[in-house]
Amino acid sequence: TIKDLLKPSPTFQETPQNGRVRLFIEKLRLCCVMFDWSKDGEQQSQIDSRGIEVKRQLLLELVDFVGKSKAVFSEHVVVEIMKMVRINLFRNLPPKVGPPHFD
């Protein structure tokens, strides 16, 4: 939920080596929180705006961890990665607002 996303979470550097995969999965699951992108900046609540920023930071942290990690990810971790990608990539897009534009 958005509330879970807004709770502080430890960084990978603060986490012992044996807890990093668990933290990685937790952060992947937090990145599955969806936001309503059809609202413009004025209509978005402060919570949504903060949640979007936290999610963006989490995604950057995940990319950094994968890039620097020499770990081989288990099938369970790969399933979690694919789930997060699927949820974020294959979603309904809001309808276009306004008259069609023809060239």
Side-chain angles (χ1 to χ4, degrees):
T1 66
I2 293 176
K3 288 181 182 181
D4 294 328
L5 185 63
L6 295 177
K7 290 179 186 173
S9 96
T11 64
F12 289 107
Q13 291 78 20
E14 298 171 338
T15 306
Q17 188 73 28
N18 61 354
R20 290 183 181 172
V21 172
R22 179 194 50 78
L23 181 63
F24 182 75
I25 291 172
E26 285 177 20
K27 289 179 184 268
L28 282 171
R29 290 178 179 164
L30 288 173
C31 288
C32 291
V33 174
M34 300 303 298
F35 294 94
D36 185 0
W37 292 98
S38 63
K39 298 177 185 176
D40 62 16
E42 295 171 5
Q43 291 179 321
Q44 278 184 340
S45 71
Q46 286 183 339
I47 292 174
D48 279 354
S49 296
R50 177 75 180 124
I52 289 168
E53 179 59 25
V54 169
K55 182 175 176 177
R56 186 181 74 78
Q57 289 297 325
L58 277 176
L59 289 167
L60 290 172
E61 195 175 335
L62 291 172
V63 168
D64 188 53
F65 177 75
V66 169
K68 290 180 178 177
S69 175
K70 295 179 181 164
V72 175
F73 295 113
S74 68
E75 183 178 345
H76 175 69
V77 174
V78 173
V79 168
E80 292 291 335
I81 293 170
M82 296 308 295
K83 177 183 173 187
M84 188 273 297
V85 170
R86 178 180 45 84
I87 287 171
N88 283 279
L89 191 61
F90 302 111
R91 64 182 190 277
N92 292 331
L93 298 175
K96 289 187 177 187
V97 180
H101 179 73
F102 299 103
D103 289 331

